[in-house]
Amino acid sequence: MNKMQNPETLVIANANKMTARKVQVHYGTNHAIKDVDVDILDKTVTAFIGPSGCGKSTFLRCLNRMNDTIPVCRVSGELLLEGENIYDPRVDPVQLRAKVGMVFQKPNPFPKSIYDNVAYGPRIHGLTRNKAELDAIVESCLKKAALWNEVKDRLDSPGTGLSGGQQQRLCIARAIATSPEVLLMDEPCSALDPIATAQVEELIDELRSQFSVVIVTHSMQQAARVSQKTAFFHLGHLVEFGDTGQIFTNPGDPRTESYISGRIG
Amino acid sequence: MTDTATPTPTESLLRPSRLMSRRNAAERRFRLYGITAIAISLLVLAIMLFTILRDGVSAFRQTSVTFPVVLTAEALDPSGSLDAAAMAKVTTIGYGKVIDSSFLAFLQAEGLAVDGLSDKDARAILSKEAAGQLRAQVLAEPALVGQTITMTIWTNARIDGYFKGRVTMESAERDGNVSPEQLQLADLLAENGALSRPFNWQFLTGPDASDQRPEAAGLGISIIGSIFMMIIVALLCVPIGVAASIYLEEFAPKNRWTDLIEVNISNLAAVPSIVYGILGLAVFINFAGFPQSSSLVGALVLTLMTLPTIIIATRSAIRAVPPSIRDAALGIGASKMQTVFHHVLPLAMPGILTGAILGLATALGETAPLLLIGMVAFVDNYPSLSAAGALDPATALPVQVYGWAQRSDPAFIERSSGAIIVLLIFLVIMNAAAILLRRRFERRW
């Protein structure tokens, strides 16, 4: 899986990381996701776009089984992570979530110190043997999240005392501290100002060299800026999925075109 | 836009419109209602505290006479052997005579005499309790026999009441238990300096006393009983209540069974406490065979009564933790249990503590269920202060208040109010502890 990486290449040649086939999601009697087929490629940013309530967040939450916490939610179909069905009864969702991390819409740091926020994941997963290793992980994750320089002198102060953009980057640092293979981001910039958004977007681009990233966004500009692949959802259907450039310049479906040009949604 | 909707074409912002002034008036009225309500409740609280303090504070002081007591060997140790078993044959009557003769001798030596007061009436101003206490003191230290010791002996409740304003010369005329001459003697003793009003430790540490000697009645056993019960209730209630709430709130599936349990918990919180007393009587005493009047049974009954309150408070504290924290923890691969114990529970802690203390405070003040399991009995022996003491008979503070308030002697009104003060101090201490703990657990967001 460790192939040569050529950032210049826009044509995606990476291996499949996650595969979804005929995925259906029901909320009670409501059929929220219908027949979705998506391939999430390794070391690629995939954007999910679509109007509110189209099911893109729901689908995202299926990818690390966060929907399990909603009792009325039922998922069927096939969702594979490296060829293994993540909805297999033998799969422990807790173990899955260590591999498929998640960043949420609203920054939600724990009301603990900045250090403890990042160190929590490695601690519960037993990734480190001693304090020095943990320190190293915390430092490298905060550096990857472009937050280290701002917080290195106050790692003991509460994570909730940071600004909104800093908090979101802290949450990203926390999510990558468990070294996930896939990072899911549910509208990570919707609560941030343009400057913080730019920082997070830059960060996403850097993270692409290590993980595959799936991002749900309402901003089509953001999708165009950060992603290589784009999926357009509408009313629970996956309308179109393809290279970002192609979706935005030459959409194959009239609904995609209407949404991108602002006529629906 | 046409402006047909505005009746007055020149509406100035400097003049409030009619609707606006009506809205402002309504707001002012509402604030006034609020202030009135708070003022009334504060006034009621002030009146309550004032009456309790007015009636009760005097219970913490006890009028006493200090005079030398000659412990004559012939009377107290007729065998002359200083042997404890032989000395124990002398009853309190013998000691009473020693005190009486010493007191009369003291009056004579000091020249304190009131016309028309017999010796019998003169010595009756001393508490009948004194003989028993002297006997216990001498039996504990037989070497005292033959010596003259200075003792501070309580006066009886009427003389005590005279100095606290409860008894007057006029009321003494009509009172079969006290005569004006006795009060005159008390006045003479006060002038002589033999009368004092020291702090009444007996009230805090002593056991209850009979109807005839309110001056000796104390709260010792009921304080021990209440402390025992609070410890057991806290040890049982908080872990069970918190564990049940965590399970119901975080782990249990939401179905008809859990709905049923939820409704039942809410209903149990509203069941009159005396019903729990009947339950405790049937289950813990008649069925399980625990000793009646014991603090253990009282605590078990209070635990049953308090659990629903604690569960309801804990559940709402857990529910108030924002779901984003759970998502965050689950999202980085924490298990359900880790999510609850690392993140949800610490954040819910202040609310849980508030609920627990409220529940314990209710339990501390609860009387009715304890009446049914026999904690209202007259208990004269201290429970053992070890863990086994929970099985010994005891009473509780609120029950003691109830018991004293029922007795006819007006001195017991004072005792009853004094006991309420002690109970309130306990509550204040518990609430202060809760506030301190809450401060410690509170996290900044």
Side-chain angles (χ1 to χ4, degrees):
Chain A
M1 88 182 212
N2 216 348
K3 276 181 276 143
M4 285 249 287
Q5 189 71 30
N6 186 353
E8 304 295 306
T9 327
L10 275 174
V11 180
I12 308 298
N14 291 341
N16 255 4
K17 192 74 193 172
M18 297 189 83
T19 313
R21 289 291 175 267
K22 298 247 175 256
V23 172
Q24 323 278 340
V25 179
H26 294 262
Y27 281 119
T29 54
N30 179 16
H31 197 170
I33 297 280
K34 297 153 193 162
D35 281 338
V36 169
D37 294 0
V38 169
D39 291 317
I40 312 277
L41 301 182
D42 196 15
K43 302 193 193 321
T44 305
V45 178
T46 308
F48 291 173
I49 59 170
S52 292
C54 67
K56 53 195 188 308
S57 285
T58 302
F59 183 68
L60 187 79
R61 291 168 67 93
C62 291
L63 297 179
N64 71 344
R65 294 186 58 175
M66 280 300 276
N67 282 336
D68 288 16
T69 57
I70 304 164
V72 293
C73 180
R74 274 185 299 116
V75 180
S76 52
E78 205 173 42
L79 256 170
L80 309 176
L81 173 67
E82 302 209 306
E84 292 174 335
N85 188 355
I86 62 171
Y87 279 90
D88 190 286
R90 283 168 296 178
V91 170
D92 188 337
V94 170
Q95 216 175 337
L96 169 72
R97 287 177 201 139
K99 288 185 165 196
V100 185
M102 190 158 193
V103 175
F104 296 85
Q105 183 171 0
K106 229 182 98 214
N108 55 356
F110 298 131
K112 297 174 187 272
S113 72
I114 294 170
Y115 183 95
D116 286 338
N117 261 286
V118 183
Y120 184 69
R123 267 189 195 137
I124 58 170
H125 293 298
L127 298 182
T128 56
R129 283 190 304 274
N130 52 45
K131 179 89 168 71
E133 277 184 29
L134 193 60
D135 288 349
I137 287 188
V138 170
E139 182 175 342
S140 79
C141 289
L142 285 171
K143 274 181 177 158
K144 279 184 207 160
L147 193 61
W148 176 252
N149 287 329
E150 294 159 57
V151 301
K152 63 182 173 201
D153 302 323
R154 45 173 179 146
L155 290 176
D156 289 333
S157 56
T160 42
L162 298 172
S163 74
Q166 289 174 325
Q167 285 191 10
Q168 194 62 302
R169 278 179 284 151
L170 178 63
C171 292
I172 293 173
R174 183 178 66 187
I176 61 183
T178 54
S179 351
E181 295 167 19
V182 182
L183 188 60
L184 310 176
M185 299 180 130
D186 191 355
E187 300 181 38
C189 299
S190 63
L192 305 185
D193 67 32
I195 294 170
T197 302
Q199 286 169 328
V200 171
E201 284 179 6
E202 211 171 297
L203 183 58
I204 292 171
D205 205 48
E206 279 163 31
L207 294 177
R208 177 161 69 96
S209 63
Q210 297 152 52
F211 330 108
S212 34
V213 177
V214 185
I215 177 169
V216 165
T217 177
H218 268 128
S219 152
M220 279 169 287
Q221 289 87 338
Q222 185 173 56
R225 279 194 301 265
V226 301
S227 70
Q228 287 79 51
K229 288 279 197 179
T230 298
F232 172 60
F233 286 80
H234 189 237
L235 301 174
H237 291 286
L238 176 68
V239 175
E240 196 166 351
F241 177 54
D243 290 347
T244 302
Q246 180 243 319
I247 295 265
F248 279 94
T249 53
N250 186 17
D253 192 290
R255 285 173 291 176
T256 316
E257 198 192 344
S258 314
Y259 181 68
I260 287 168
S261 55
R263 266 173 290 166
I264 60 166
Chain B
M1 279 283 283
T2 52
D3 52 355
T4 46
T6 45
T8 47
T10 53
E11 256 190 41
S12 164
L13 273 177
L14 300 176
R15 236 177 320 109
S17 68
R18 249 197 20 233
L19 179 63
M20 204 57 224
S21 33
R22 256 202 320 229
R23 274 153 61 178
N24 287 340
E27 192 170 319
R28 272 195 302 275
R29 272 200 306 278
F30 185 75
R31 282 190 198 177
L32 190 70
Y33 298 150
I35 292 171
T36 317
I38 289 174
I40 290 174
S41 43
L42 284 180
L43 184 73
V44 171
L45 180 69
I47 291 173
M48 188 191 86
L49 284 179
F50 171 74
T51 50
I52 290 172
L53 289 176
R54 184 196 59 195
D55 294 344
V57 162
S58 55
F60 293 93
R61 297 203 168 274
Q62 169 68 42
T63 313
S64 312
V65 191
T66 308
F67 61 91
V69 177
V70 187
L71 301 174
T72 46
E74 310 81 80
L76 302 184
D77 185 22
S79 63
S81 60
L82 287 187
D83 175 50
M87 281 169 67
K89 284 187 184 141
V90 180
T91 61
T92 48
I93 298 171
Y95 285 88
K97 283 180 182 151
V98 169
I99 291 177
D100 288 350
S101 55
S102 301
F103 183 55
L104 292 175
F106 169 72
L107 292 181
Q108 212 157 33
E110 296 289 322
L112 305 171
V114 176
D115 285 340
L117 183 68
S118 67
D119 283 357
K120 182 168 169 284
D121 284 346
R123 65 181 190 239
I125 74 167
L126 297 179
S127 166
K128 293 186 184 75
E129 194 71 17
Q133 288 182 335
L134 179 62
R135 179 168 182 267
Q137 194 183 343
V138 170
L139 287 184
E141 202 184 342
L144 288 176
V145 173
Q147 296 184 21
T148 301
I149 58 171
T150 307
M151 281 192 82
T152 302
I153 288 176
W154 304 320
T155 61
N156 73 31
R158 291 295 145 88
I159 304 297
D160 187 40
Y162 175 58
F163 289 102
K164 290 171 179 171
R166 203 166 53 230
V167 177
T168 59
M169 288 290 177
E170 292 78 52
S171 74
E173 293 277 3
R174 285 172 272 119
D175 193 337
N177 290 317
V178 69
S179 65
E181 289 76 21
Q182 285 177 318
L183 296 182
Q184 284 165 16
L185 177 64
D187 275 336
L188 287 177
L189 280 166
E191 278 166 33
N192 180 263
L195 267 186
S196 59
R197 285 174 65 194
F199 187 81
N200 190 3
W201 284 109
Q202 167 79 9
F203 181 61
L204 290 179
T205 60
D208 194 7
S210 70
D211 280 4
Q212 279 76 43
R213 43 190 89 168
E215 67 275 5
L219 289 168
I221 289 170
S222 49
I223 288 177
I224 294 171
S226 278
I227 290 176
F228 263 130
M229 288 199 294
M230 282 306 103
I231 292 173
I232 299 173
V233 170
L235 287 181
L236 288 176
C237 244
V238 177
I240 296 177
V242 172
S245 320
I246 291 174
Y247 177 73
L248 286 173
E249 206 52 49
E250 300 281 340
F251 293 95
K254 301 273 171 286
N255 57 26
R256 213 174 294 168
W257 281 110
T258 44
D259 283 350
L260 188 73
I261 290 173
E262 188 162 350
V263 168
N264 274 306
I265 289 174
S266 310
N267 282 339
L268 283 176
V271 168
S273 56
I274 197 149
V275 177
Y276 285 103
I278 297 172
L279 179 77
L281 178 66
V283 174
F284 297 126
I285 294 177
N286 291 342
F287 177 73
F290 291 143
Q292 57 176 326
S293 302
S294 64
S295 0
L296 177 70
V297 174
L300 290 174
V301 170
L302 293 180
T303 301
L304 289 182
M305 202 199 77
T306 315
L307 261 178
T309 323
I310 291 192
I311 291 179
I312 289 170
T314 307
R315 287 187 72 175
S316 65
I318 290 175
R319 226 173 295 152
V321 174
S324 68
I325 293 293
R326 293 184 185 85
D327 281 350
L330 291 175
I332 51 173
S335 69
K336 193 101 197 191
M337 180 116 170
Q338 286 170 325
T339 306
V340 170
F341 282 90
H342 296 170
H343 302 289
V344 177
L345 210 52
L347 288 175
M349 211 41 146
I352 294 175
L353 281 173
T354 312
I357 291 293
L358 275 181
L360 287 182
T362 321
L364 177 67
E366 199 54 66
T367 322
L370 303 182
L371 299 180
L372 283 173
I373 56 148
M375 289 192 88
V376 71
F378 182 90
V379 181
D380 203 26
N381 295 319
Y382 289 96
S384 145
L385 288 180
S386 62
L391 293 169
D392 295 338
T395 55
L397 276 172
V399 179
Q400 197 68 73
V401 172
Y402 165 79
W404 283 346
Q406 276 187 322
R407 296 194 187 167
S408 52
D409 195 310
F412 276 111
I413 300 295
E414 174 200 54
R415 301 271 146 174
S416 201
S417 303
I420 292 173
I421 294 174
V422 174
L423 188 58
L424 288 179
I425 289 172
F426 266 67
L427 283 175
V428 169
I429 291 173
M430 278 169 65
N431 281 323
I435 290 170
L436 283 179
L437 281 172
R438 208 162 54 200
R439 285 265 169 79
R440 194 158 150 20
F441 280 109
E442 215 138 56
R443 279 157 194 261
R444 270 177 296 159
W445 283 86

